[in-house]
Amino acid sequence: MYEYLRGEVAARGDGATVLEVNGIAYRLACYASTLRKVPPKGPCRLFAHLVVREERMDLFGFADEAERYLFRQLLHVTGVGPAAALGLLSAYEPAVLATHIASGEVALLVRAKGIGKKTAERIVVELRDRLAKGEGPGKPPSAVGVRGDAVLALCSLGLPRPEAEQRVSAVKGDDLPLEEVVRLALR
């Protein structure tokens, strides 16, 4: 229903951002990484996803389309609700989470709040192929493969994900080994 909301940040914290758009204040539940990207005050745009339940409606906000895409994919998994999906996204950056799912790393998924072993296994079974193929619009960038691993390596060295992705995408050559891609991206 909502693609994104653009407005002024009225408040931020406690897992949510309040965005004032044309005199209407919208409360968007956000995970930790998105909250860090939202300015304390001033203009902001958040991609949105509305969850409608019998007793209430919840609006979720994301810094970019890739984050929202992964959230939506997680909601399609039986037994994963918005709280569990946000728990996974709070535990891991979207590209890292997609890599864990695509490579079947159940033990790492269980570390997220609200995710048990059976749910983690279901997430891997239902999403592994979809994320490995990179299906759908707004797919998580650099989720798998050598280039995805290079992005993860650069992030572990302290680079912000957007900068790491930009550096890795600037590296020429499709058949380079991981070490070479990382080395060239650090130049």
Side-chain angles (χ1 to χ4, degrees):
M1 178 175 187
Y2 298 104
E3 186 62 25
Y4 64 84
L5 295 172
R6 183 188 328 256
E8 296 287 319
V9 176
R12 178 186 76 165
D14 293 331
T17 297
V18 176
L19 203 58
E20 186 177 331
V21 181
N22 295 326
I24 300 172
Y26 294 91
R27 181 185 184 280
L28 294 101
C30 301
Y31 69 100
S33 179
T34 295
L35 283 174
R36 285 191 297 273
K37 296 173 187 172
V38 172
K41 295 286 179 191
C44 180
R45 177 177 81 164
L46 291 174
F47 289 88
H49 180 81
L50 179 66
V51 175
V52 179
R53 296 187 183 148
E54 195 172 300
E55 68 280 358
R56 69 185 216 208
M57 295 188 297
D58 293 310
L59 195 56
F60 295 87
F62 305 92
D64 61 44
E65 290 180 273
E67 295 170 354
R68 182 179 61 182
Y69 170 79
L70 192 51
F71 178 80
R72 287 176 170 172
Q73 293 304 309
L74 289 165
L75 291 182
H76 287 296
V77 176
T78 305
V80 176
L86 281 183
L88 281 163
L89 287 167
S90 290
Y92 300 104
E93 288 291 322
V96 174
L97 177 59
T99 301
H100 291 331
I101 293 169
S103 58
E105 297 176 29
V106 172
L108 294 173
L109 299 179
V110 173
R111 294 180 184 172
K113 181 180 178 184
I115 303 296
K117 185 176 183 201
K118 290 197 183 287
T119 302
E121 290 170 345
R122 208 170 316 133
I123 289 169
V124 168
V125 167
E126 293 185 30
L127 296 182
R128 175 188 286 167
D129 292 338
R130 230 181 299 173
L131 294 178
K133 291 177 190 171
E135 292 178 0
K139 65 183 180 204
S142 306
V144 295
V146 170
R147 298 220 174 233
D149 290 343
V151 169
L152 295 177
L154 293 175
C155 288
S156 70
L157 293 173
L159 284 173
R161 185 175 52 120
E163 183 180 346
E165 289 172 350
Q166 183 180 23
R167 286 176 177 234
V168 168
S169 66
V171 173
K172 304 278 191 246
D174 293 329
D175 57 349
L176 296 173
L178 174 62
E179 297 79 15
E180 184 67 12
V181 173
V182 171
R183 188 180 67 73
L184 292 171
L186 287 172
R187 283 189 178 178

